[in-house]
Structure formats: structure tokens, C-alpha cells
Amino acid sequence: MQCLVVTGEQPGKIWIDDRTNDNGIYPTSLTFCNAFHDINPDDFYPDSDEEQPLSFYDWYEDWLNRSLDQIR
């Protein structure tokens, strides 16, 4: 389950609740997003830190870029 934080210390960040798989709770990162796509992340983010937590905007931009790439 993905949760958007709206208040507190990390508003706008997306966290993954993966306790059902014994993986705990952790922030969404490009590494996490890459697990669901066949597209090379370097095509979109050549100089990025793939472990950096994503904001909602970054997460949405990643989803949009990958979706557009798939329909081309």
C-alpha cells in the first residue's frame, strides 16, 4: 500500500506500507518504482540518487514519463 503524507515532518512524500510481506514501512524511491517497470531509469534520470525519497510530484512525474514511454 502506498500512502501520501499530508502533515507532519514529511508532507508530500509517499511511503510504502509493506508489512504484509515483512518488509516494513519505507519511503518510495526510484529504486522502488523501477521494480514495476522494464524501462531503464537512467533514460529519465541520468544523474539522480535512486534511493532518495520521492515527493508526490516526483512520483507522478516518474509515472507519467514511464506511461508515455510505453505508449510510444
Side-chain angles (χ1 to χ4, degrees):
M1 173 172 50
Q2 297 185 41
C3 302
L4 173 62
V5 178
V6 293
T7 62
E9 295 179 17
Q10 297 199 4
K13 299 291 185 188
I14 299 176
W15 283 72
I16 306 301
D17 183 351
D18 202 14
R19 292 178 286 184
T20 57
N21 295 316
D22 295 327
N23 292 325
I25 300 172
Y26 50 90
T28 301
S29 64
L30 287 175
T31 301
F32 174 82
C33 293
N34 295 342
F36 297 100
H37 303 281
D38 294 332
I39 300 167
N40 185 349
D42 292 335
D43 293 344
F44 298 122
Y45 312 100
D47 298 323
S48 68
D49 177 6
E50 293 188 20
E51 295 301 320
Q52 182 69 24
L54 297 178
S55 67
F56 176 77
Y57 174 80
D58 294 334
W59 173 85
Y60 182 75
E61 181 181 38
D62 177 69
W63 172 82
L64 187 59
N65 285 336
R66 291 170 191 273
S67 296
L68 290 172
D69 192 65
Q70 288 178 353
I71 62 172
R72 291 184 187 156

